[in-house]
Amino acid sequence: SANQNVRTGRSGSVSSPPVEHNTAEKIDVNPPKGTRDFPPDDMRLRTWLFHNFREVSKQFGFEEVDFPVLESEALYIRKAGEEIRDQLYCFEDRGNRRVALRPELTPSLARLVIQKGKSVSLPLKWFAIGQCWRYERMTRGRRREHYQWNMDIIGVPDVTAEAELISSIITFFKRIGLTASDVGFKVSSRKVLQEVLRCYSVPEDMFGRVCIIIDKIGKIPMDDIRKDLQSADMSEVAIEELLQVLSLKSLAKLEEKLGASGEALSDLKQLFSLAEKYGYSEWLQFDASIVRGLAYYTGIVFEGFDREGKLRAICGGGRYDRLLSTFGGDDLPACGFGFGDAVIVELLKERGLLPELNLQVENIVCSLDQELQGAASAVATILREKGQSVDLVLENKPLKWVFKRAARINARRLILVGNAEWQKGMVNVKTLSTGEQLEIKIDELE
Ligand SMILES: Nc1ccc(Br)nc1
């Protein structure tokens, strides 16, 4: 091009004349409140995390699924007073439809299962990694988006499904260097709550709401908990009995309280027995106070916690056998978990377990003469067609600049395309770790 003639040697070239002064109003270059960019370093860590999510999901025979980040608001309208409802990122679209950025993945999964109906064979073992949203007043300055790994088993009524899901999370923890000394699982069943409420004739339709109230223990004053329980038609006696049962941390004590015939106890006993067989008993503990904050759980619930007690729950899940029928579908037994991308990173930082992840490009290719830029592109193509990664230097740069870039991208080799060598059908290959330099025939490059 005409500009070509005015290029000044290696150091640089004349581009269009500089703008005298920039009159444009500077946009806010930060992402919207509560959201994150993922520049290369952060994106490498996220990719590493998601790779481990995927590897474990594959190891357990799960299939990946995905759903729109935008869903009908109706998926999340549950009357139990959940935080997820209070913080729904919802709006009316241009077609006057009430829609929401998904706050979690399970309702989408339930929707897809119903949509697929009889065309899929059970059990379904599906996993997804998706961005989830909440609209929270920025008073607490918390994030408004995070990525969640979900694994769900649809069509298995036995706690063998929950045992398998917990095993998959433990497999993930072990993969990234965490042990039972670092993290554990608190396990309970909502059937504990159900059995107590039945004893005190609390209406069944209060169940979800009572769970949400109980989940706030430790987050709001106990007086407010008691007031909320009273508003859920519970008597003083029922409330005290319930709070007493929720403080239990041993299955033996639970049996003393509820008797041996209830489903809660048999489910939990079976789960702990299966944990023994899987070899992960040391990771689990019974804790009746665990109810989780989603209204749709109906049975076993569990959450991963850091044993130092500094962080919020790492992950959580449980059985939700009635969710499909709330969407008008036929009920199917279902259980699953959600695992966020934030707390786990905080924990790995705490434990010094964040992986060293650097950009690694095998080759950097550069022409020593501007007439050989095309030749350099040809060399890059040859290497790439052999499956190698190449950073092709795209402008005339001083060698000092090239070496600096080679170091930054951790290139293994520097391929120099020079006139003399090119005339002989060769290039200069420098192994950067040893400094060894060889002239290699282009068709023998590998
Ligand atoms: N459900 C939800 C969504 C987004 C964030 Br951040 N936390 C929880």
Side-chain angles (χ1 to χ4, degrees):
S1 71
N3 264 347
Q4 207 72 31
N5 314 330
V6 295
R7 283 171 79 166
T8 54
R10 294 199 59 80
S11 58
S13 59
V14 174
S15 54
S16 49
V19 173
E20 289 307 310
H21 60 276
N22 188 341
T23 52
E25 176 68 23
K26 187 173 179 195
I27 59 156
D28 178 354
V29 291
N30 294 305
K33 275 189 185 314
T35 68
R36 299 165 291 174
D37 292 318
F38 285 87
D41 286 351
D42 298 327
M43 194 62 201
R44 274 194 284 275
L45 178 60
R46 179 177 130 185
T47 302
W48 170 84
L49 193 68
F50 289 15
H51 171 72
N52 282 286
F53 287 159
R54 284 201 167 84
E55 284 300 292
V56 170
S57 304
K58 246 177 2 189
Q59 222 176 342
F60 278 71
F62 280 60
E63 297 175 274
E64 186 162 9
V65 293
D66 195 7
F67 328 96
V69 72
L70 184 74
E71 286 276 13
S72 163
E73 183 187 50
L75 257 62
Y76 314 107
I77 301 300
R78 302 185 288 255
K79 3 181 229 312
E82 297 156 285
E83 187 179 74
I84 213 160
R85 165 82 194 270
D86 304 339
Q87 299 176 344
L88 200 55
Y89 211 129
C90 53
F91 54 97
E92 188 155 296
D93 73 9
R94 291 173 185 273
N96 303 104
R97 292 176 203 84
R98 292 295 307 167
V99 289
L101 296 181
R102 64 189 176 197
E104 53 163 331
L105 300 175
T106 307
S108 301
L109 182 132
R111 176 180 62 71
L112 185 59
V113 170
I114 297 170
Q115 181 200 125
K116 289 299 176 192
K118 304 254 185 295
S119 71
V120 287
S121 57
L122 300 177
L124 294 175
K125 295 181 181 179
W126 288 354
F127 83 93
I129 302 173
Q131 193 174 33
C132 297
W133 293 81
R134 67 181 171 197
Y135 190 89
E136 191 178 54
R137 299 269 165 257
M138 281 316 274
T139 41
R140 288 204 270 178
R142 293 199 301 173
R143 277 180 301 99
R144 285 184 173 156
E145 54 77 23
H146 71 175
Y147 284 83
Q148 257 196 33
W149 170 42
N150 277 219
M151 287 176 84
D152 291 84
I153 299 174
I154 311 293
V156 175
D158 300 327
V159 299
T160 48
E162 288 92 322
E164 180 76 342
L165 289 174
I166 292 171
S167 176
S168 71
I169 305 174
I170 290 169
T171 304
F172 171 79
F173 282 140
K174 288 178 172 176
R175 267 183 79 97
I176 62 175
L178 291 168
T179 70
S181 313
D182 299 303
V183 296
F185 288 86
K186 291 173 185 170
V187 181
S188 185
S189 171
R190 283 205 171 166
K191 291 177 185 173
V192 170
L193 209 60
Q194 213 165 23
E195 286 167 30
V196 172
L197 297 184
R198 276 192 192 131
C199 287
Y200 290 89
S201 329
V202 175
E204 287 284 334
D205 62 3
M206 283 295 167
F207 178 64
R209 191 165 142 196
V210 170
C211 290
I212 299 311
I213 296 165
I214 298 300
D215 184 58
K216 292 177 182 158
I217 291 177
K219 298 166 192 166
I220 67 173
M222 277 312 290
D223 281 353
D224 295 347
I225 298 284
R226 285 188 169 84
K227 278 196 202 101
D228 291 350
L229 290 173
Q230 280 158 6
S231 70
D233 293 348
M234 286 188 70
S235 65
E236 279 296 326
V237 174
I239 291 171
E240 290 318 310
E241 178 67 7
L242 176 62
L243 295 177
Q244 213 279 321
V245 170
L246 291 174
S247 67
L248 297 179
K249 306 266 189 281
S250 98
L251 284 185
K253 289 265 188 298
L254 185 72
E255 186 162 349
E256 281 172 28
K257 208 66 177 156
L258 296 185
S261 59
E263 280 185 26
L265 202 74
S266 60
D267 286 353
L268 286 160
K269 279 183 172 176
Q270 190 190 357
L271 183 63
F272 278 87
S273 158
L274 284 167
E276 192 69 41
K277 301 288 186 292
Y278 272 97
Y280 64 66
S281 295
E282 59 176 338
W283 292 72
L284 303 194
Q285 62 196 59
F286 169 66
D287 182 332
S289 70
I290 298 302
V291 287
R292 299 297 296 160
L294 292 166
Y296 51 66
Y297 287 128
T298 55
I300 294 284
V301 283
F302 54 86
E303 67 185 36
F305 70 100
D306 85 290
R307 293 195 187 273
E308 280 190 11
K310 288 184 188 163
L311 304 171
R312 304 178 308 286
I314 302 165
C315 57
R319 179 161 291 278
Y320 53 95
D321 288 346
R322 304 299 318 280
L323 182 61
L324 275 68
S325 57
T326 64
F327 291 162
D330 296 332
D331 254 340
L332 275 174
C335 59
F337 68 80
F339 193 123
D341 69 338
V343 177
I344 186 64
V345 169
E346 289 172 49
L347 177 61
L348 291 175
K349 273 183 192 141
E350 289 255 324
R351 296 285 194 288
L353 286 171
L354 281 182
E356 282 274 312
L357 302 166
N358 297 311
L359 169 61
Q360 174 74 58
V361 181
E362 286 159 312
N363 305 281
I364 180 165
V365 175
C366 134
S367 65
L368 288 173
D369 187 314
Q370 63 188 39
E371 270 70 48
L372 288 170
Q373 186 60 37
S377 312
V379 170
T381 302
I382 291 166
L383 287 168
R384 286 165 179 159
E385 284 175 351
K386 291 173 186 288
Q388 294 208 17
S389 57
V390 175
D391 176 63
L392 175 61
V393 176
L394 300 171
E395 300 169 282
N396 283 328
K397 290 291 183 185
L399 266 185
K400 189 163 173 283
W401 181 96
V402 176
F403 275 95
K404 200 163 170 238
R405 183 171 176 86
R408 193 178 72 73
I409 67 174
N410 293 309
R412 190 168 57 81
R413 299 189 307 183
L414 167 57
I415 318 282
L416 293 168
V417 183
N419 224 342
E421 295 83 358
W422 189 248
Q423 299 309 321
K424 299 180 288 180
M426 303 179 89
V427 288
N428 207 313
V429 179
K430 189 181 187 60
T431 303
L432 293 166
S433 56
T434 61
E436 182 197 34
Q437 192 149 317
L438 293 170
E439 281 195 3
I440 307 261
K441 281 204 181 106
I442 295 150
D443 49 13
E444 288 172 8
L445 262 180
E446 53 192 8

